[in-house]
């Protein structure tokens, strides 16, 4: 019963949050300078202009536009792209996000595994050589901008060695380079996070107890420390998932991947209000839902957290 | 093959690149469209002419090309971009196609949608006899499809950005303004296979229009079927050209395959053409080097030299276009209302250095509004008109003096460092950054003014320009055909197409006289006087350079017809010896 | 189960001296002094600090010692490799890269540090108010915070960069900070909720100290250590985000430059002029590395649990 109340409460809050986000984004986007018709690059006759504006509801007072937007949104309709006439924003997101999710998901999984392993190694060999090596790898991974690594990889693996295609999407071979680039960030994040989480756990009394009880070092690490250090890592998962989508902005553009990142960057360049708004709303929904799911899993998994505290 | 030489008055129809393409694509080299070689340089003419029709064909015929951006639409009435045109010219058949004559110079129109054509004595009524062509679904192409297409483009509710291309048609103005019904437009189907186009008055360059997208046929039932989605994707259009769209994967690729129903399908040798949509220039270059695309446009000296050093690659470099790169003043601005100030800003730039530094030596420094390749009849315009900007620079070695003179005329004192000027650029990438930083530095050194550069995306830039919310802007303008009128009439008082706010009665008068002057030499003189007012006296606009086309292709890509047109049709391309 | 086999000789009876029981083992050391002492012992953190100081020093004096101005164009010296004349080479406009790298560094570091500071200050105030007042105030303010937190911050940065138009230092800072205060605010609130329930706050309240003063004098200093660590970790993030903005054309505008802008500018031709990208890229990497390592050290030093 407590659980149901908790879920309902969280769902309600999620809706309020989303409503506020949509409202803020809507009015922000409308305040951007620039003419949505400018891509037509020609002074259109008044009538044509008016027709066009009417088609997108841009002739209505701002508040009415807002209400229309909300109404359509409730039906899952994010409007029609301004820059690509005839394209539905909802469909475009529906088509592009799985591509990003696929590449990003693999990158995240790889990053999680490698990052966790590296983090554990660093923690166990704290202040010794392996620790330093891991931390330098982890930090270098995030210190070199993606738009530097990506063309470098292209040059080496595609142009010089000819092993991989330079651009595109679809086959596993296409995925190797973008996934490599995208995995750098989660590797670094999780390596650092796991290291400190592991150190934290290793300092806990129950580990000392286990050790003093004579549990073998391997057992201590696997059965006690690892499990308890992995738990907090779940909390940063929601952030990582969205990070995968936003990190794709640059990677997808460089590798010509038809994902949501490429679309978002293109919409910015095209002044495509409806597309920018739609994508923002999509990201917000994704993020809010992810946070909810992650919190929920966390509550289920970690016996120490009581629902009463969580809802406080 | 029916050949028809163009009338002596006009000639070469030029880049069918329209205004938008000119400002947006040509200006921003990073968004350059990698279309198959639209031209050829002197040194490889020979190779290319030999190239046609020779070499054993590869058994599998395909090409991989790059598109710098995704077409917003391939609705022939709604798209005005170069990329949209690249796809359209391959999937639709205009009335005629233009091809160059070799080895002699000159051009001809070859049959395409029309198998033959004639006009009445004064050239106001043109009759086209259509080929037996079919849409990809097997439906015959009829004259009604052409009529429907032109009416749709002109109809006011369509809002076609290129409707003005059809302005020579009878009653265009009234129909476009909604004052007369669509049926009054000067185009009709005499029968299924005969199309008649009536013009308001004889237009020397009329035949050039028959190659353009505005004269491509459209299917009424298909448009009705798809409604607002028409032209937004591969499944929402229909082909009657050499190719049809096999698939259009948004932001990824557009795959064309041979259209079996096309009337000249036997002469189309490519089975598949894949346009990869690649926005990153470095990626395009890498992909060409790795052999993943067969033709690439280059925009920097380093890449050009790099590809020169590659074996198995044929360059097509430095082909001049008819697009001018220029800056323009807002003459309603407090400061730039003064012509001496405008002149000072115009001559303060060393065009050779600008070209070297900001354009990487890829353009042709230009000292007048008319680009070097444009002529009036047999008279090359630039040769006869001289270089007004050079002359002004010679007469005013120190632009600062002109600036101070102008400042005093406005009562602004004599200290240029008190002036704050904003230069607007329509782009934010490193190409525009380099240009902006160069301009900023040059103006602060040569004129001593404080120059701000405002980088904005095209939409914001254009909005500012349209609303007169700018001081100096930077754009490109492409000529449609080879006649100075085409690029001078846009400065007439009522047009204001360049958004300078500039108006000059004497200039208007000269252009109006030139329009009806039949003697080429006389007309040339009128144009020269008009350009002189525009540039030397008034400096309403600041020409900088003429753009060029630069691309490389793999040597197994054959059948590339040398031409200086923007028409990127792949009808005759084939590969021979693809590894 | 294994039996314990800790050898007996590890244990030794040392006896107990009752007279020494009340003795304070060492001189009273303030928290900050103690932290600094521990920081000094951390060689990695100190090395990072030295590198940081060096970078900052070079950003201050670097542009002055090369003899070139960062915006001076020299068409005759374009794209030159490093030489005795131009230590880092020149860019495509013939400008001296050594000067530009340090000038850009000023912008990058200023953006990174000020964004982190602004975010921290706003975060402290916001989180402080939430934690101190609690109840409805807390609920409402946390709801607002969640709204900000529910859109990935990069999206905010991009949208605000567009809305604010032509970018300069201020607009970039505003865009970066729109959502950046959320993290510190949460952190501070959590930390303060712990502190609020401690006796010294109750004592202050009982003595009639005003709410504002309690937040400022008692709660802020006690949360400061957490916040300082957060700032150190945030700086490289902001430097990186600015680089991203530069890459998509929304970063600092000329004549100003930043490390991100320099790298973005060099990216398309790095094959031909690798040094143009190498120097600014290595500066970004060094800065981020140093801030992160220093932050690690700082966290350990400020952790009261590790206090000896």
């Amino acid at each position: 019963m407590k659980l149901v109340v908790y879920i309902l409460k969280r769902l309600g809050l999620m809706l309020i949050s989303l409503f506020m986000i949509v409202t803020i984004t809507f009015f922000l986007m409308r305040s951007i300078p620039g003419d949505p018709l400018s891509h037509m690059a020609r002074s259109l006759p008044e009538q044509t202009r008016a027709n066009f504006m009417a088609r997108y509801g841009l002739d209505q007072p701002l508040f009415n536009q807002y209400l229309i937007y909300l109404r359509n949104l409730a039906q899952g309709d994010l409007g029609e792209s301004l820059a690509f006439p005839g394209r539905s924003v909802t469909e475009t997101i529906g088509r592009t996000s799985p591509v990003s999710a696929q590449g990003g998901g693999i990158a995240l999984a790889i990053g999680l595994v490698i990052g966790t392993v590296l983090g554990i190694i660093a923690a166990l060999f704290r202040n010794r050589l392996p620790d330093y090596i891991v931390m330098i790898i982890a930090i270098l991974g995030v210190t070199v901008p993606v738009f530097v690594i990506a063309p470098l990889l292209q040059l080496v693996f595609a142009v010089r060695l000819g092993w991989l295609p330079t651009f595109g999407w679809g086959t596993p071979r296409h995925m190797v380079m973008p996934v490599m680039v995208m995995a750098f960030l989660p590797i670094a994040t999780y390596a650092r996070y796991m290291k400190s989480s592991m150190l934290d756990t290793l300092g806990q009394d129950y580990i000392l107890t286990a050790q003093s009880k004579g549990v073998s070092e391997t057992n201590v690490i696997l059965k006690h420390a690892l499990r308890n250090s992995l738990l907090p890592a779940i909390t940063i998962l929601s952030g990582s998932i969205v990070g995968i989508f936003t990190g794709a902005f640059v990677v997808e553009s460089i590798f010509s991947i038809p994902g949501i990142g490429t679309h978002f960057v293109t919409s910015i360049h095209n002044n495509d209000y409806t597309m920018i708004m739609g994508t923002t709303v999509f990201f917000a929904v994704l993020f809010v839902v992810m946070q909810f799911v992650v919190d929920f899993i966390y509550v289920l998994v970690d016996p120490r957290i009581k629902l009463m505290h969580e809802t406080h | 093959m029916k050949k028809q030489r163009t009338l002596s008055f006009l000639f070469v129809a030029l880049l069918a690149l329209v205004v938008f393409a000119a400002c947006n694509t040509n200006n921003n080299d990073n968004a350059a469209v990698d279309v198959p070689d639209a031209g050829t340089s002197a040194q490889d003419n020979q190779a290319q002419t030999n190239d046609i029709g020779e070499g054993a064909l590869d058994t599998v015929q395909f090409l991989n090309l790059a598109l710098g951006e995704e077409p917003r639409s391939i609705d022939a009435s709604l798209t005005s971009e170069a990329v949209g045109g690249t796809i359209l010219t391959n999937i639709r058949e205009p009335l005629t196609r233009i091809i160059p004559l070799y080895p002699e110079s000159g051009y001809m129109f070859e049959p395409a949608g029309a198998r033959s054509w004639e006009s009445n004595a004064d050239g106001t009524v043109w009759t086209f006899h259509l080929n037996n062509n079919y849409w990809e679904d097997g439906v015959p192409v009829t004259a009604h499809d052409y009529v429907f297409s032109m009416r749709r483009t002109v109809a006011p509710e369509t809002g076609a950005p290129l409707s003005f291309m059809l302005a020579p048609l009878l009653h265009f103005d009234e129909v476009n303004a909604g004052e007369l019904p669509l049926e009054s437009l000067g185009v009709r189907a005499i029968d299924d296979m005969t199309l008649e186009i009536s013009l308001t008055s004889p237009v020397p360059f009329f035949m050039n229009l028959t190659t353009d997208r505005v004269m491509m046929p459209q299917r009424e039932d298909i448009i009705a079927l798809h409604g607002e989605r028409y032209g937004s994707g591969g499944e929402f259009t229909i082909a009657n050209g050499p190719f049809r769209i096999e698939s259009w994967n948004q932001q990824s690729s557009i795959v064309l395959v041979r259209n079996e129903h096309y009337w000249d399908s036997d002469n189309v040798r490519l089975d598949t053409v894949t346009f990869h949509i690649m926005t990153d220039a470095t990626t395009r270059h890498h992909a060409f080097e790795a052999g993943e695309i067969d033709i690439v446009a280059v925009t920097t000296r380093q890449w050009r030299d790099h590809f020169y050093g590659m074996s198995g690659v044929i360059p097509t470099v430095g082909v001049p276009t008819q697009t001018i790169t220029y800056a323009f003043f807002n003459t309603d601005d407090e400061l730039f209302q003064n012509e001496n100030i405008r002149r000072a800003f115009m001559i303060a730039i060393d065009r050779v250095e600008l070209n070297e530094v900001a354009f990487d030596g890829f353009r042709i420094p230009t000292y007048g509004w008319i680009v070097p390749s444009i002529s009036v009849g047999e008279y090359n315009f630039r040769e006869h008109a001289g270089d007004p900007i050079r002359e002004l620079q010679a007469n005013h070695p120190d632009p600062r003096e002109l600036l101070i003179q102008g400042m005093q005329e406005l009562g602004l004192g004599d200290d240029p460092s008190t002036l704050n000027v904003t230069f607007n650029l329509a782009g934010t990438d490193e190409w525009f950054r380099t240009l902006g930083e160069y301009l900023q530095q040059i103006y602060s050194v040569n004129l001593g003014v404080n120059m701000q550069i405002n980088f904005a995306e095209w939409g914001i830039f254009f909005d500012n320009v349209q609303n007169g919310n700018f001081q100096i802007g930077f754009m490109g303008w492409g000529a449609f055909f080879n006649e100075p009128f085409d690029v001078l009439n846009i400065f007439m008082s009522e047009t204001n197409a360049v958004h300078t706010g500039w108006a000059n009665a004497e200039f208007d008068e000269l252009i109006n006289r030139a329009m009806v002057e039949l003697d080429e030499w006389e007309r040339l003189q009128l144009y020269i006087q008009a350009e002189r007012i525009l540039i030397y006296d008034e400096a309403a606009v600041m020409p900088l350079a003429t753009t060029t086309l630069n691309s490389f292709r793999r040597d197994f890509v054959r059948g590339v017809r040398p031409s200086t047109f923007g028409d990127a049709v792949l009808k005759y391309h084939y590969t021979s010896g693809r590894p | 189960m294994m039996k314990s086999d800790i050898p007996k000789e590890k244990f030794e009876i040392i006896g107990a001296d009752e007279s020494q029981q009340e003795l304070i083992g060492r001189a009273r050391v303030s928290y900050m002094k103690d932290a600094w002492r521990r920081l000094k012992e951390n060689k990695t953190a100190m090395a990072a600090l030295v590198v940081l100081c060096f970078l900052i020093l070079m950003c201050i004096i670097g542009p002055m010692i090369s003899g070139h101005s960062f915006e001076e164009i020299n068409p005759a010296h374009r794209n030159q490799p490093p030489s005795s004349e131009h230590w880092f080479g020149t860019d495509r406009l013939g400008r001296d890269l050594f000067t530009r790298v340090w000038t850009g560094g000023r912008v990058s570091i200023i953006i990174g540090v000020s964004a982190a500071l602004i975010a921290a200050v706003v975060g402290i105030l916001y989180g402080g108010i939430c934690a101190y007042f609690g109840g409805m105030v807390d609920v409402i303010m946390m709801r607002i915070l969640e709204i900000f937190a529910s859109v990935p911050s990069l999206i905010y940065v991009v949208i605000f960069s567009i809305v604010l138009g032509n970018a300069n230092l201020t607009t970039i800072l505003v865009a970066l900070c729109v959502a950046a205060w959320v993290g510190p605010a949460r952190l501070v609130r959590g930390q303060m909720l712990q502190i609020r329930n401690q006796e010294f706050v109750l004592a202050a309240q009982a003595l009639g100290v005003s709410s504002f003063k309690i937040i400022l004098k008692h709660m802020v200093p006690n949360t400061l250590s957490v916040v300082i660590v957060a700032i150190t970790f945030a700086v490289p993030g902001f430097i990186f985000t600015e680089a991203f903005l530069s890459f998509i054309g929304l970063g600092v505008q000329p004549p100003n430059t930043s490390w991100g802008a320099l790298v973005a500018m060099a990216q398309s031709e790095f094959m031909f002029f690798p040094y143009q990208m190498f120097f600014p890229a290595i500066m970004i990497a060094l800065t981020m590395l140093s801030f992160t390592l220093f932050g690690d050290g700082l966290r350990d030093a400020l952790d009261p649990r590790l206090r000896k």
Side-chain angles (χ1 to χ4, degrees), chain B residues 121-404:
Chain B
D122 66 356
T124 51
V125 179
W126 291 73
T127 310
F128 294 86
H129 305 283
L130 302 189
N131 252 316
N132 289 320
N133 194 18
Y134 296 90
W135 294 94
E136 62 175 289
D137 59 358
V139 174
V141 179
T142 68
H144 303 285
D145 297 331
Y146 287 89
V147 174
F148 170 75
S149 173
M150 281 181 244
R151 283 182 183 163
R152 179 167 180 257
T153 300
V154 176
E157 60 272 18
T158 309
L162 294 183
S163 58
F164 68 95
M165 295 281 286
L166 293 173
L169 268 62
L170 192 64
H171 298 312
F172 169 85
D173 288 341
E174 296 86 341
V175 175
N176 192 227
E179 293 158 10
L180 279 180
L182 284 178
E183 291 71 35
S184 318
L185 189 69
V187 57
R188 69 187 182 105
I190 293 176
D191 56 49
D192 276 0
M193 300 308 282
T194 316
L195 181 74
E196 184 189 272
I197 297 176
S198 312
L199 309 181
T200 313
S201 56
V203 176
F205 51 85
F206 173 72
M207 276 307 290
N208 295 301
L209 294 180
T210 63
T211 67
D212 194 84
R213 67 186 93 182
V214 292
M215 293 229 182
M216 289 173 180
Q218 297 186 63
R219 276 267 291 276
E220 189 168 5
D221 56 330
I222 297 293
I223 294 176
L225 178 68
H226 298 308
E228 287 180 349
R229 316 198 103 188
Y230 173 69
S232 67
E235 63 273 41
F236 306 123
T237 188
I238 190 162
N240 74 332
F243 302 93
R244 61 183 171 81
I245 297 184
E246 164 94 347
S247 65
W248 177 348
N249 310 304
Q250 288 175 22
Q251 300 288 357
S252 175
S253 65
I254 299 176
V255 181
L256 305 185
V257 294
R258 199 144 65 99
N259 178 9
E260 299 295 341
H261 292 282
Y262 178 57
W263 68 275
D264 199 19
S265 185
D266 291 346
N267 285 319
V268 178
R269 283 169 286 191
L270 287 172
D271 296 314
T272 313
V273 178
T274 309
F275 287 98
H276 298 282
I277 297 159
M278 304 164 80
T279 49
D280 190 271
T282 313
T283 305
R284 290 199 294 270
H285 294 138
H286 282 154
F288 179 72
E289 192 168 356
E292 292 167 63
I293 57 172
D294 302 322
I295 300 174
V296 73
V298 288
T299 51
T300 68
R301 196 190 311 256
Q302 277 67 39
W303 281 107
R304 183 189 63 194
D305 295 347
H306 181 74
F307 291 141
Y308 266 140
M310 258 170 76
S311 59
V313 158
I314 296 174
T316 303
V317 169
V319 184
T321 69
Q322 288 68 41
T323 297
I324 186 143
T325 301
Y326 64 95
F328 56 106
F329 300 102
N330 179 1
T331 61
D332 295 327
D333 180 75
E334 211 176 304
L335 189 63
F336 290 104
Q337 58 177 296
N338 181 285
E339 68 275 11
N340 280 326
I341 292 180
R342 297 198 298 263
R343 293 163 101 195
F345 273 80
M346 185 171 77
I347 61 174
I349 291 181
D350 176 344
R351 280 157 178 74
V352 174
E353 189 182 282
L354 170 79
N355 183 45
E356 277 304 302
V357 176
F359 304 146
D360 231 349
F362 265 46
R363 296 188 176 185
I364 302 162
T366 307
Y367 298 88
W369 176 249
I370 312 290
V371 298
S373 60
I374 288 185
S375 329
V376 180
E378 60 191 82
Y379 309 111
N380 176 277
F381 183 90
R382 277 268 71 85
E383 273 170 31
H384 289 86
D387 294 322
I389 297 177
R390 266 201 187 127
E391 221 177 295
L392 196 60
Q393 282 171 329
N395 295 342
H396 299 275
D398 186 3
R400 206 183 287 238
E401 281 172 17
L402 257 181
L403 176 68
I404 292 170

Side-chain angles (χ1 to χ4, degrees), chain C residues 56-279:
Chain C
I56 291 167
L57 181 75
M58 284 309 288
C59 286
I60 296 167
I61 63 161
M64 294 173 229
I65 59 178
S66 66
H68 297 279
S69 141
F70 82 101
E71 49 185 0
E72 170 195 299
I73 285 169
N74 188 343
H77 288 122
R78 304 173 59 218
N79 295 325
Q80 291 201 339
S83 64
S84 58
E85 169 74 13
H86 299 286
W87 300 331
F88 287 179
T90 60
D91 70 0
R92 63 171 67 169
L93 288 176
R95 292 172 297 195
D96 183 59
L97 270 178
F98 183 82
T99 322
R100 288 183 71 71
V101 163
W102 299 119
T103 317
R106 288 180 185 176
V107 174
S108 285
I109 291 181
I110 288 174
I111 284 182
V113 172
S114 9
L117 281 178
I118 295 170
V121 169
V122 176
I124 290 175
L125 290 177
Y126 199 96
I129 292 169
C130 281
Y132 183 81
F133 291 104
M136 253 343 250
V137 177
D138 185 28
V139 170
I140 292 169
M141 286 180 75
M142 284 312 283
R143 201 79 316 121
I144 296 172
L145 182 141
E146 267 170 33
I147 291 164
F148 275 92
S150 58
V151 177
S153 56
L154 202 58
I155 303 256
Y156 276 121
V157 175
V158 169
I159 290 182
F160 267 84
S161 301
I162 304 173
V163 172
L164 295 170
N166 224 12
N168 57 41
L169 262 179
T170 326
T171 59
I172 292 175
L173 277 179
V174 171
L176 287 176
C177 292
V178 166
W181 55 271
V182 170
R186 273 189 171 149
L187 203 65
V188 169
R189 174 177 170 271
Q191 191 75 7
M192 283 198 172
L193 278 180
Q194 274 183 8
I195 299 168
R196 192 182 63 168
N197 298 326
Q198 287 176 10
E199 283 83 2
F200 64 89
V201 176
L202 193 68
Q205 277 170 325
L207 289 170
V209 182
S210 74
S211 312
F212 184 71
K213 225 172 178 178
I214 292 179
I215 293 180
L216 213 67
K217 289 256 155 134
H218 295 280
M219 291 168 83
V220 172
N222 279 293
T223 23
L224 218 55
S225 68
V226 188
V227 173
I228 288 173
V229 173
I231 290 176
T232 339
F233 285 130
V235 172
F238 288 116
I239 292 179
F240 224 52
T241 310
E242 195 279 325
F244 164 78
L245 284 181
S246 293
F247 182 72
I248 62 169
L250 296 170
V252 280
Q253 302 298 316
N256 271 326
T257 189
S258 68
W259 286 335
L262 287 170
V263 174
M265 190 121 173
Q267 184 254 353
S268 63
E269 310 235 301
F270 79 96
M271 235 183 105
F272 309 108
F273 312 115
Y275 57 90
Q276 289 181 356
M277 190 160 90
F278 176 77
F279 290 108

Side-chain angles (χ1 to χ4, degrees), chain A residues 41-61:
Chain A
R42 214 172 144 258
S43 315
L44 295 168
E46 266 320 300
Q47 188 52 45
T48 312
R49 214 182 156 74
N51 288 346
F52 190 94
M53 294 304 230
R55 176 170 165 191
Y56 288 95
L58 293 169
D59 55 339
Q60 305 263 341

